[in-house]
Amino acid sequence: MSGSGQREDETLIEMTVTGEDINGSLLDNNSITDSELPGNSEGLSSTESTFLISNHQRIDKHAQSKDSVFFWDGSRRIDFVLSYTEDTGKDAEKKAERRREFELNLQKSGLELETEDKKESENGKTYFVKIHAPWEVLTTYAEVLNLKMPLKADDLKDDSENILSHVLKLFKLPQEVMYPEPDYFTAPFRKDKQELFRTEEREKFFTPSTRNRIVYYILSRCHYGEEEGKKKFGIKRLLTNGSYLDAYPLHDCQYWKKTDERNCERYTLYTHWAKFTRFYKEQPLDLIRKYYGEKIGIYFAWLGFYTEMLFYAAVVGFFCFLYGWITMDDSISSKEICDPNIGGQIIMCPLCDKRCEFWRLNSTCEPSQYSHMFDNVATLFFAIFMGIWVTLFLEFWKRRQARLEYEWDLVDFEEEQQQLQLRPEYESKCTEKKKNPVTQENELVIKQTACNFLAKMFWCWMSVLFWIALIIASIIAIIVYRLWVYAAFASIMDNNLALKPVSNLLTPQLATSVTASVLNFVTIMILNFLYERVAIWITDMEIPRTHLEYENRLTMKMFLFQFVNYYSSCFYVAFFKGKFVGYPADYSYLFGKWRNEECDPAGCLIELTTQLTIVMAGKQIWGNIQEAFVPWTWNWLKRRKARNHPQNLYSRWEHDGDLQTFGGLGLFNEYLEMVVQFGFITLFVASFPLAPLLALLNNILEIRVDSWKLTTQFKRPVAAKAHSIGVWQEILNGIAILSVVTNAFIVAFTSDMIPRLVYYYAYSQDEGTPMSGYIGSSLSVFNVSDFKEQSMPMENDMNVISCRYRDYRYPPGHEKEYQVTMQYWHILAAKMAFIIIMEHVVFLVKFFVAWLIPDVPSEVKARVKREKFLTQKILHEYELEKLKQKLCNKNEPLSNDKEFIATKGKVALSAAM
């Protein structure tokens, strides 16, 4: 339908909705009974509604560029666009009827439409329906959605300007970019009190993001007829059944050039935020919130704050690594391993059965030196530091979030009505109505017996457990790979002269660890790709009631899977590898066939570092490539000549329509990626102090990649509100608590710190160099003749009579031959004591810090109180003025003396107050 340039015969109809059936009305409360609504808590029963009905006439199109966000009259802004093509199939007429009914009801609700004929489109097939919300509709639904609008200028001065602000000026953005609007005290909009709000400039009063949010609220509730005895409504269902191809709000201008539009915030965001050359600049959060809405704004605020806090962890971690690197040559253990007279004379037992040979300890010289860079005293300090850092991060984020809640008018915010409305998938399955005990209104519910519900939940969670079991099976397969290829690597490196120059660096253990880590990473990515679709399918089967419930259920399933998928290999290396090996006379075997892996004589920590580095870095690199390259490629394939296309042929709505869609799970995937990274830098950080630095570098790039793709490669998302990061906050809290336990166990059982400390204080023989002799003390002696037949090496070229292995056992010939020594029990007791002490100390500090730091800054509390006070005062003065006018107005006398006396008394009391 073509829209008119001039509105003629406008009729302003104001009515009070009582829940009666009003034919043709948009709101489901008006058109159907409350119980038939998608969510009757969001309806307008007992709320004044204003509808503007216009008689539209076709007008001539002015000489205006199609690269515009306005109707052809040049004054009415395009708030939303619907697109469709004419079908020729059997459902063509049905789809056309749905569209006619839907658009008619949109017009009856007060929205104005203008249709672009398919001849005007670039492909000659697509119709575009442009939608504009006039002032009357915006004010009506601003009250329905309880939007807070500007009331009075903020009179509390910000005294945050200090010397540090001047020092950090390089990282600052211009004031007009950082703060696109002045600060105002706000109040829930009331249509009957418009004069209280700053409505002088109506065009700027409702931002484009607020406008598209209001229009989408209407689109999601507008009905389009009856099918199978049920009233159908909502643009989502029309998109699902193919009646429309797409529905999206427009970007306000092109990102690569500044046009003559009245607003060009997209260009500003691109030049000051999305460009990679701006990586060192702060983020314009207020402008992001204004353009994309609070939900996307809070994500970038959290990501930016997380990146800022990572800077401090990265600096401390870098200095801990630097300490290990500087003191690498001072390690007595490494010196003994590398010394030809000590490590060169120690013959180690074979690391696999039959095919592996005896080997000299000094062949692991360089890996032992590198191991010291991560396994030193700084490891303990950094593990404790990160336990405190993660608490500071979460507590300071709560304060930052509280500040944003105030600045973005989210105080006392309850979840968005769009989030709480019934999902169409749920509503379509509803067959009964049940009275809500709170609202006392009938609500649609799904009829199902307890057995059906339990059976459905059983199969859903059995599917989840099956996929988790599949991950564990893949980890076991990789362990078998490690055991199987180690002998092959050992044989190849011993017999290949070309590898001799690098044999000291590239040991069979390291080669096995690196290839297994790469294989594990590939397996992780494949399983992740498959499970994401399985998790969505399982959640769809559960038929959650609301969008918020759907998102929370999917979040828990995906994170549980990702937790097992990404971290299981690291847990294996940290807590299982080398712990259940046995000893040469009685080795332990996996499935009775493959001998369990042993750690390097310098410990398993270097292998954990390798595993963590490959999986973490690989995931981050692959994620950024995928996020940037995939949408760019699709857009390039869809419109290769977008920039060179004449504006009079390639319109703005077509240009935006060709962009990728930022779906409802767009932010979900972004949060999931960052939370998995958060797990890497907290759960296993004791093994790799450089992990926060890698995460910092990735996040600096991640912010720009996310901003670039959102600004240039995706359609403009519908603005939505969110006052927090939601269920992710609880997941972060859980990871923070678990990280204290995992790092305590890593320091105790994976690193060699506790055995070295026990030797230093209890078993050292040399006061001058207390750690001399530690390597010999940590290796037990085994008589080669005691090997079982299946473990006996096939070759013994060195004529070895006895060999050494990593354990604390009595030597051959002792009365307790091959039994664990007292030193073993001392070390075990020290490890357990360390875990208990470290956990209690860190938890005590964590809880003290959490108690010490208030969640809401005192300044924000004062501003909230000030805003509430001023709001009450302004409303009070407004009522007072109305009462005075009522008393002074002789043309409208009060009904009786009692009312006169009461009113006069109220005025006097108000004046006194």
Side-chain angles (χ1 to χ4, degrees):
M1 298 180 185
S2 297
S4 62
Q6 300 292 332
R7 291 174 291 178
E8 300 178 0
D9 302 326
E10 293 180 346
T11 307
L12 188 63
I13 303 176
E14 295 191 358
M15 62 192 73
T16 301
V17 180
T18 60
E20 299 175 359
D21 184 20
I22 302 173
N23 187 28
S25 170
L26 159 73
L27 293 172
D28 298 319
N29 292 68
N30 303 338
S31 58
I32 58 177
T33 60
D34 288 348
S35 61
E36 294 171 320
L37 292 177
N40 56 31
S41 61
E42 298 166 357
L44 292 183
S45 54
S46 73
T47 303
E48 184 184 76
S49 301
T50 303
F51 303 112
L52 183 64
I53 302 177
S54 306
N55 296 324
H56 296 275
Q57 296 180 350
R58 181 178 295 275
I59 63 169
D60 294 332
K61 294 179 179 179
H62 296 271
Q64 180 175 318
S65 170
K66 293 180 74 174
D67 186 34
S68 173
V69 293
F70 291 92
F71 276 19
W72 287 110
D73 59 13
S75 61
R76 289 176 292 169
R77 174 179 286 274
I78 302 171
D79 297 313
F80 229 89
V81 174
L82 308 177
S83 65
Y84 66 90
T85 57
E86 290 181 333
D87 276 344
T88 57
K90 59 180 181 179
D91 294 332
E93 184 58 36
K94 184 183 291 186
K95 291 179 180 179
E97 180 59 32
R98 289 171 184 160
R99 288 193 295 266
R100 282 193 294 269
E101 184 73 17
F102 186 69
E103 292 173 18
L104 177 63
N105 288 333
L106 288 179
Q107 285 184 307
K108 289 180 178 178
S109 73
L111 297 178
E112 298 175 0
L113 311 182
E114 186 176 78
T115 301
E116 288 289 325
D117 192 83
K118 64 181 180 180
K119 296 177 182 178
E120 301 289 337
S121 66
E122 194 267 338
N123 61 12
K125 300 177 181 178
T126 308
Y127 292 86
F128 292 91
V129 181
K130 298 174 286 185
I131 302 174
H132 168 75
W135 173 261
E136 293 78 8
V137 172
L138 294 172
T139 53
T140 297
Y141 286 95
E143 183 173 352
V144 171
L145 295 174
N146 203 34
L147 298 182
K148 287 188 174 182
M149 305 304 293
L151 193 68
K152 183 182 184 298
D154 190 341
D155 61 352
L156 291 180
K157 301 298 182 183
D158 186 4
D159 300 324
S160 60
E161 191 74 18
N162 50 41
I163 298 176
L164 189 61
S165 300
H166 295 287
V167 174
L168 300 176
K169 192 173 183 180
L170 174 67
F171 307 100
K172 299 289 184 181
L173 289 174
Q175 286 292 314
E176 63 272 14
V177 176
M178 282 299 297
Y179 308 105
E181 294 178 331
D183 288 333
Y184 293 107
F185 288 123
T186 59
F189 186 79
R190 291 288 301 276
K191 190 175 180 181
D192 58 347
K193 295 182 174 64
Q194 290 188 37
E195 59 269 27
L196 291 176
F197 297 88
R198 305 181 68 88
T199 57
E200 299 87 5
E201 295 183 86
R202 289 190 171 187
E203 290 185 0
K204 296 182 179 179
F205 186 71
F206 293 104
T207 63
S209 61
T210 303
R211 297 174 69 97
N212 74 55
R213 180 177 157 222
I214 289 174
V215 173
Y216 185 75
Y217 180 88
I218 297 173
L219 290 173
S220 63
R221 286 156 178 77
C222 183
H223 73 273
Y224 56 85
E226 286 191 18
E227 295 178 11
E228 300 176 354
K230 287 186 178 181
K231 296 204 173 182
K232 302 294 183 179
F233 47 82
I235 187 62
K236 283 188 177 180
R237 190 167 293 165
L238 289 170
L239 291 171
T240 302
N241 60 35
S243 299
Y244 287 101
L245 297 178
D246 211 344
Y248 52 92
L250 291 181
H251 284 291
D252 61 0
C253 65
Q254 304 288 9
Y255 70 87
W256 64 82
K257 63 179 180 179
K258 196 167 187 177
T259 60
D260 57 355
E261 301 287 2
R262 298 164 202 181
N263 289 302
C264 205
E265 292 170 351
R266 185 190 187 193
Y267 174 79
T268 304
L269 284 170
Y270 176 71
T271 54
H272 291 282
W273 178 51
K275 281 189 174 181
F276 292 95
T277 53
R278 297 280 179 168
F279 72 93
Y280 60 93
K281 293 287 187 181
E282 61 184 335
Q283 297 187 87
L285 294 177
D286 286 351
L287 186 59
I288 297 169
R289 173 246 181 169
K290 181 183 177 186
Y291 192 76
Y292 290 113
E294 288 80 1
K295 191 170 185 179
I296 291 178
I298 205 80
Y299 163 73
F300 281 104
W302 176 81
L303 179 57
F305 182 79
Y306 171 44
T307 304
E308 289 175 20
M309 291 296 292
L310 272 177
F311 172 78
Y312 304 106
V315 170
V316 176
F318 176 75
F319 279 109
C320 289
F321 171 78
L322 199 62
Y323 169 82
W325 182 62
I326 292 173
T327 60
M328 185 169 61
D329 294 334
D330 299 332
S331 172
I332 301 298
S333 300
S334 298
K335 286 181 178 180
E336 289 187 348
I337 292 175
C338 298
D339 191 337
N341 297 320
I342 301 177
Q345 300 302 316
I346 296 177
I347 306 298
M348 300 295 294
C349 297
L351 293 174
C352 65
D353 293 340
K354 291 188 177 296
R355 295 177 62 185
C356 291
E357 300 178 354
F358 296 98
W359 53 284
R360 296 186 184 277
L361 181 60
N362 65 350
S363 64
T364 61
C365 174
E366 293 191 21
S368 69
Q369 291 178 326
Y370 295 139
S371 179
H372 176 77
M373 289 193 295
F374 306 104
D375 190 1
N376 53 67
V377 182
T379 301
L380 174 60
F381 166 77
F382 193 59
I384 296 174
F385 169 80
M386 287 301 294
I388 300 171
W389 174 88
V390 72
T391 304
L392 292 173
F393 162 63
L394 294 174
E395 292 302 316
F396 282 128
W397 166 246
K398 290 178 185 177
R399 291 170 62 85
R400 177 69 173 129
Q401 188 170 263
R403 188 180 297 277
L404 289 175
E405 284 183 21
Y406 167 74
E407 293 175 353
W408 292 356
D409 302 319
L410 300 171
V411 178
D412 301 325
F413 169 74
E414 295 183 359
E415 290 298 339
E416 177 77 32
Q417 285 93 337
Q418 293 177 12
Q419 290 290 320
L420 290 178
Q421 77 174 58
L422 294 182
R423 297 174 63 243
E425 296 84 353
Y426 176 88
E427 189 272 339
S428 64
K429 301 288 184 181
C430 293
T431 56
E432 289 188 351
K433 299 172 185 176
K434 184 179 179 181
K435 181 175 287 188
N436 187 311
V438 178
T439 62
Q440 293 297 306
E441 295 177 349
N442 289 328
E443 294 182 350
L444 294 170
V445 295
I446 296 177
K447 183 180 179 181
Q448 59 181 349
T449 63
C451 292
N452 289 338
F453 174 77
L454 292 175
K456 184 187 299 182
M457 296 303 295
F458 173 78
W459 284 113
C460 288
W461 283 103
M462 282 300 293
S463 300
V464 175
L465 293 176
F466 167 77
W467 278 88
I468 291 176
L470 189 61
I471 297 171
I472 297 173
S474 69
I475 295 300
I476 294 174
I478 291 172
I479 294 172
V480 171
Y481 165 84
R482 285 172 172 268
L483 301 175
W484 182 72
V485 302
Y486 176 81
F489 276 124
S491 176
I492 291 171
M493 291 181 180
D494 285 340
N495 300 324
N496 194 328
L497 297 177
L499 295 176
K500 287 294 182 182
V502 295
S503 60
N504 289 334
L505 177 63
L506 188 63
T507 62
Q509 294 98 317
L510 183 61
T512 302
S513 179
V514 171
T515 56
S517 298
V518 172
L519 181 63
N520 180 57
F521 172 72
V522 174
T523 306
I524 285 172
M525 301 311 296
I526 294 173
L527 289 175
N528 186 47
F529 174 80
L530 296 174
Y531 183 76
E532 182 176 345
R533 285 144 185 81
V534 173
I536 293 173
W537 173 72
I538 294 172
T539 309
D540 288 339
M541 279 182 58
E542 295 177 356
I543 319 177
R545 186 172 181 272
T546 65
H547 292 284
L548 185 63
E549 187 179 341
Y550 180 91
E551 201 168 293
N552 288 345
R553 290 191 186 186
L554 182 61
T555 297
M556 295 309 298
K557 289 184 184 68
M558 281 298 297
F559 179 73
L560 178 62
F561 175 84
Q562 298 272 23
F563 185 91
V564 178
N565 196 23
Y566 281 105
Y567 304 144
S568 54
S569 58
C570 293
F571 271 101
Y572 164 74
V573 175
F575 306 123
F576 296 98
K577 183 179 178 181
K579 308 299 186 295
F580 309 100
V581 177
Y583 66 100
D586 187 21
Y587 281 124
S588 299
Y589 289 84
L590 181 65
F591 304 129
K593 186 175 182 180
W594 292 285
R595 198 174 107 189
N596 288 343
E597 283 187 283
E598 296 183 42
C599 287
D600 189 272
C604 272
L605 199 68
I606 189 67
E607 290 191 46
L608 178 59
T609 302
T610 303
Q611 179 77 25
L612 183 66
T613 304
I614 291 175
V615 175
M616 179 182 171
K619 179 187 180 302
Q620 294 180 163
I621 293 171
W622 172 254
N624 282 320
I625 292 174
Q626 191 178 30
E627 287 183 23
F629 184 72
V630 172
W632 179 86
T633 303
W634 280 112
N635 288 336
W636 182 81
L637 291 173
K638 287 175 68 175
R639 48 174 185 81
R640 285 173 291 178
K641 43 188 181 178
R643 290 199 184 189
N644 300 322
H645 214 296
Q647 289 185 5
N648 62 337
L649 295 178
Y650 198 74
S651 63
R652 169 62 58 80
W653 38 92
E654 289 180 277
H655 183 278
D656 282 14
D658 284 340
L659 297 175
Q660 297 297 298
T661 300
F662 192 77
L665 297 179
L667 282 184
F668 168 82
N669 292 322
E670 301 296 341
Y671 275 119
L672 183 62
E673 179 186 0
M674 288 295 102
V675 170
V676 169
Q677 182 205 81
F678 181 80
F680 277 123
I681 69 164
T682 53
L683 294 175
F684 309 102
V685 74
S687 67
F688 189 37
L690 291 180
L693 180 61
L694 291 181
L696 173 66
L697 297 176
N698 171 79
N699 287 9
I700 291 173
L701 181 64
E702 179 77 21
I703 291 175
R704 303 305 156 180
V705 169
D706 287 349
S707 60
W708 173 81
K709 71 179 183 182
L710 198 62
T711 307
T712 66
Q713 303 301 312
F714 284 93
K715 298 182 180 72
R716 185 175 186 170
V718 178
K721 281 185 176 291
H723 70 292
S724 68
I725 61 175
V727 71
W728 298 109
Q729 182 80 34
E730 302 304 319
I731 293 176
L732 292 174
N733 289 333
I735 293 176
I737 294 173
L738 181 61
S739 67
V740 177
V741 179
T742 56
N743 283 300
F745 272 85
I746 287 172
V747 174
F749 286 97
T750 309
S751 79
D752 255 13
M753 181 175 297
I754 302 301
R756 286 199 297 263
L757 289 175
V758 171
Y759 180 83
Y760 181 90
Y761 288 105
Y763 292 91
S764 176
Q765 303 294 326
D766 189 342
E767 294 183 359
T769 54
M771 289 305 297
S772 62
Y774 167 72
I775 290 298
S777 171
S778 65
L779 299 175
S780 299
V781 180
F782 182 75
N783 194 329
V784 173
S785 61
D786 293 332
F787 268 123
K788 291 182 179 180
E789 183 180 352
Q790 66 181 31
S791 302
M792 180 69 73
M794 292 189 299
E795 297 181 4
N796 188 359
D797 297 336
M798 294 186 290
N799 297 318
V800 177
I801 299 174
S802 64
C803 61
R804 308 291 289 271
Y805 61 98
R806 183 181 172 84
D807 207 342
Y808 296 92
R809 293 179 182 271
Y810 290 108
H814 194 277
E815 59 180 3
K816 296 181 179 179
E817 185 179 65
Y818 300 140
Q819 295 183 27
V820 293
T821 64
M822 188 56 66
Q823 186 176 355
Y824 169 85
W825 295 111
H826 288 164
I827 292 173
L828 181 61
K831 288 179 177 180
M832 301 307 296
F834 170 81
I835 290 171
I836 294 172
I837 293 171
M838 178 178 170
E839 285 182 359
H840 282 70
V841 169
V842 175
F843 278 132
L844 184 64
V845 173
K846 279 170 63 71
F847 293 137
F848 176 73
V849 169
W851 170 81
L852 189 65
I853 301 175
D855 291 347
V856 182
S858 57
E859 175 198 354
V860 173
K861 289 181 179 178
R863 287 177 174 270
V864 171
K865 291 178 181 178
R866 173 68 175 165
E867 181 169 314
K868 289 182 177 179
F869 168 75
L870 271 181
T871 302
Q872 292 175 356
K873 182 180 178 182
I874 292 171
L875 293 174
H876 180 74
E877 291 175 350
Y878 176 81
E879 294 292 343
L880 179 62
E881 188 64 29
K882 289 291 185 182
L883 287 171
K884 286 182 179 179
Q885 292 178 6
K886 196 172 184 181
L887 286 172
C888 297
N889 192 346
K890 296 181 180 180
N891 296 328
E892 296 181 9
L894 296 175
S895 58
N896 54 55
D897 293 338
K898 290 184 178 180
E899 184 178 351
F900 176 80
I901 294 170
T903 305
K904 188 175 182 182
K906 184 177 180 181
V907 172
L909 179 62
S910 299
M913 290 175 63

